Amino acid sequence: MKKYIVAIDSGTTSVRCIIFDKDARIAALAQHEFRQIFPKAGWVEHDADEIWRLQKLCVDEAMANCRATAAEIAAVGITNQRETCVVWDRKTGKPICNAIVWQCRRTARFCNSLKEKGLSSIIREKTGLVPDAYFSGPKVAWILDNVEGARERAEAGELCFGTIDSWLIWNLTGGRVHATDVSNASRTMLFNINTMAWDRELCDIIGVPEKMLPKVMPSSAIYGECRPSLFGAPIPIGGAAGDQQAALFGQCCFEKGSVKNTYGTGCFMLMNTGEAPIASESGLVSTVAWQLEGQRPAYALEGSVFVAGAAIQWLRDEMKLISSAPESETVAKSVPDTCGCYFVPAFTGIGAPYWNQDARGIITGLTRGAGRAHIVRAALESMAYQSIDVLSAMEKDLGESICALRVDGGASANDFLMQFQADASGVKVVRPASVESTARGAAFLAGLASGFWKDTAEISLVADKDGFKEFKPSVTKEKREELLAGWHKAVKKALND
Ligand code: ADP
């Protein structure tokens, strides 16, 4: 009798294993942080062997906590930090160097050269992405050009490339399966999201031999079986998806036009755009959301806010205005408004839809009456305003307005922020009882492939069992317009044009 799905959640700073029961409730959880390696300013690396070792440890611990037996596990699902890439030896399974992390900027110059060569539009048309150091392809090329002998070995078929999902699948199956899912593939800048295949022309432009690429699979499908020694029986791997796409699935955003926003250090907003990619006119990227076995892929528009919860950390650690992130809620609620202040936390420039790297943080509208609580409130409001700018860009690209925003992530626990998000956007905010959307999404994908859950309709019912909290817009349209006009005036000042 199958009772559980094991979700492997391989994040940027920690790895986790969460075991879900049939009601998608957490039966056990184990987590370990791992080393962040900063060899130079702007460079970020991870030790892929350490990730695998700790991930395995999490699985063992979660299985022990759950007192689950292998016979009770229906399948394993994987979700992972996206874009981070590993290159390993096909024979020994050993990485040839550290993994290059999505945050690493070492390929920025190469990506700028792609833009200067006029390749942005072809990259955008084929991959939905803008050339940026964020994405994996150029990171792989960097490894091939900088690790001695790597390019020759890759050409000879001796090396494998994979994002973290592939690396985990390879290790889980004891080196029998070299595969990735469509959502992870769509973040490499090598994958054509229209034809859903690796693109030879892009591989040539970026300099990655096709021989080293993983097989691309649907996000929900049987990838293979874990080697028996891991669980004590050969459990199937039933799904994989990048973390943001998994969260979109975990939030049951199955319909075209449904949107989720994750409030963490930054904000990640994704909208399901249905069965065709939308070419953004508003500075968003178009990406594959997921593919279920035997079905057409679902696509998404994605926009991110660089500084969201990080502004709260800044108030806590640098300005010392609050002693903890949750305290921001009581402080913000202690005043009726921001006393005319707006805080644009453009510490590292402003992303979608402005895309200005030179913008810098600014607090506008200061008067003698402004105090600590107003600034704290303005910082929380800035998370909502920045999200509204991304949401509006999505509405523009979709040509329709959005009626609900599903939320998760650490800062979504803040009721003031959620109510303000609803008020300032005029859109209902829906927060599920469990904000573990990412791991849940991986579990749902694997649960579908293995028959643990029947279809997305059943999953929606299961996901709603514990209920959710809704925040409904409670201010007039005039008030909303006034708030947003003030915000956009402040953004203009921060843009520094
Ligand atoms: P990440 O996955 O990016 O590390 P989390 O989802 O764990 O982020 O959320 C942590 C971020 O959310 C931190 O930046 C923190 O400042 C912010 N945060 C956490 N709780 C709250 C809260 N109650 N109110 C406002 N911000 C919060």
Side-chain angles (χ1 to χ4, degrees):
M1 177 61 188
K2 303 296 178 199
K3 284 164 74 176
Y4 304 111
I5 295 281
V6 170
I8 287 180
D9 178 0
S10 198
T12 305
T13 56
S14 72
V15 291
R16 309 198 303 161
C17 173
I18 305 187
I19 301 183
F20 289 94
D21 66 15
K22 195 103 186 186
D23 290 328
R25 295 200 176 106
I26 296 176
L29 184 154
Q31 177 164 9
H32 286 282
E33 285 195 11
F34 60 88
R35 237 169 4 121
Q36 306 293 312
I37 304 164
F38 305 109
K40 283 189 191 182
W43 289 31
V44 191
E45 298 179 355
H46 290 158
D47 174 350
D49 275 329
E50 184 188 7
I51 290 179
W52 166 239
R53 187 170 49 78
L54 291 174
Q55 194 71 75
K56 204 159 50 135
L57 185 63
C58 288
V59 170
D60 291 343
E61 289 173 354
M63 286 290 288
N65 293 345
C66 190
R67 302 220 173 97
T69 64
E72 293 170 330
I73 308 295
V76 174
I78 297 168
T79 181
N80 57 291
Q81 52 161 323
R82 303 178 304 173
E83 295 102 9
T84 298
C85 63
V86 190
V87 175
W88 68 93
D89 183 308
R90 200 180 287 279
K91 270 216 182 88
T92 65
K94 286 278 152 214
I96 64 163
C97 59
N98 280 336
I100 303 187
V101 179
W102 58 273
Q103 296 151 321
C104 185
R105 303 301 299 172
R106 79 183 67 183
T107 50
R109 204 182 314 148
F110 175 75
C111 291
N112 283 338
S113 78
L114 294 175
K115 286 188 210 158
E116 280 153 19
K117 285 186 201 150
L119 294 165
S120 296
S121 57
I122 174 172
I123 289 174
R124 191 169 252 289
E125 275 160 32
K126 290 187 172 201
T127 69
L129 308 173
V130 285
D132 191 274
Y134 193 20
F135 304 111
S136 325
K139 296 182 197 283
V140 184
W142 188 96
I143 291 175
L144 299 186
D145 291 334
N146 288 275
V147 174
E148 212 187 314
R151 185 163 288 285
E152 294 71 37
R153 295 181 61 205
E155 306 278 6
E158 292 171 21
L159 301 181
C160 297
F161 150 67
T163 38
I164 296 292
D165 55 317
S166 298
W167 172 240
L168 294 174
I169 291 166
W170 174 273
N171 283 288
L172 285 164
T173 60
R176 284 195 314 252
V177 181
H178 181 212
T180 189
D181 97 294
V182 289
S183 73
N184 276 293
S186 77
R187 315 296 295 180
T188 57
M189 237 161 78
L190 305 171
F191 185 74
N192 187 320
I193 64 169
N194 307 295
T195 60
M196 297 298 279
W198 296 119
D199 190 279
R200 184 156 299 160
E201 187 185 7
L202 289 179
C203 289
D204 286 345
I205 290 171
I206 294 170
V208 176
E210 273 185 83
K211 272 187 179 160
M212 69 187 305
L213 300 177
K215 179 180 172 203
V216 184
M217 305 263 296
S219 320
S220 176
I222 302 295
Y223 282 67
E225 284 176 340
C226 297
R227 77 186 135 85
S229 59
L230 283 174
F231 290 91
I235 312 285
I237 299 172
D243 51 13
Q244 298 308 322
Q245 284 94 332
L248 190 69
F249 200 80
Q251 286 270 23
C252 300
C253 290
F254 304 140
E255 304 294 321
K256 182 176 174 183
S258 47
V259 193
K260 73 92 195 172
N261 196 19
T262 301
Y263 300 78
T265 311
C267 284
F268 284 94
M269 194 181 291
L270 267 78
M271 175 173 72
N272 183 332
T273 62
E275 290 189 353
I278 291 184
S280 176
E281 304 278 323
S282 325
L284 304 170
V285 303
S286 206
T287 201
V288 177
W290 57 73
Q291 183 177 24
L292 307 183
E293 182 134 58
Q295 295 189 19
R296 284 189 51 74
Y299 292 88
L301 275 172
E302 172 173 333
S304 39
V305 168
F306 300 143
V307 177
I312 302 301
Q313 288 169 350
W314 181 76
L315 292 183
R316 184 193 62 194
D317 302 338
E318 258 63 50
M319 295 294 107
K320 317 272 184 213
L321 294 187
I322 45 175
S323 55
S324 71
E327 193 197 348
S328 63
E329 180 169 347
T330 29
V331 174
K333 281 179 173 164
S334 72
V335 286
D337 54 36
T338 64
C339 191
C341 293
Y342 286 91
F343 180 2
V344 187
F347 298 152
T348 55
I350 303 191
Y354 306 101
W355 293 112
N356 186 318
Q357 296 197 43
D358 302 319
R360 287 297 172 262
I362 188 170
I363 297 175
T364 66
L366 288 170
T367 56
R368 183 62 188 82
R372 162 182 174 255
H374 301 110
I375 305 296
V376 171
R377 186 174 169 120
L380 286 174
E381 291 188 358
S382 78
M383 283 199 227
Y385 287 130
Q386 294 181 94
S387 299
I388 290 171
D389 286 339
V390 177
L391 191 66
S392 306
M394 284 183 176
E395 288 180 319
K396 207 162 130 208
D397 283 338
L398 185 72
E400 283 172 36
S401 47
I402 281 43
C403 55
L405 180 65
R406 292 168 192 250
V407 299
D408 51 50
S412 72
N414 189 311
D415 283 356
F416 166 78
L417 170 61
M418 295 299 105
Q419 185 57 51
F420 187 79
Q421 184 73 79
D423 289 344
S425 60
V427 169
K428 181 172 74 179
V429 170
V430 181
R431 183 179 65 201
S434 161
V435 288
E436 291 289 356
S437 317
T438 308
R440 240 185 183 198
F444 286 156
L445 289 165
L448 278 179
S450 58
F452 189 69
W453 289 297
K454 193 165 70 165
D455 50 23
T456 50
E458 184 185 358
I459 283 177
S460 295
L461 286 178
V462 165
D464 280 353
K465 255 192 184 155
D466 287 336
F468 38 78
K469 185 161 176 178
E470 286 191 356
F471 299 85
K472 297 204 175 98
S474 65
V475 303
T476 61
K477 186 162 171 273
E478 290 69 37
K479 178 68 189 167
R480 193 157 67 235
E481 281 168 0
E482 183 194 320
L483 290 169
L484 286 174
W487 165 254
H488 289 129
K489 230 164 99 186
V491 169
K492 225 173 183 177
K493 289 179 185 157
L495 284 174
N496 206 12
D497 285 335

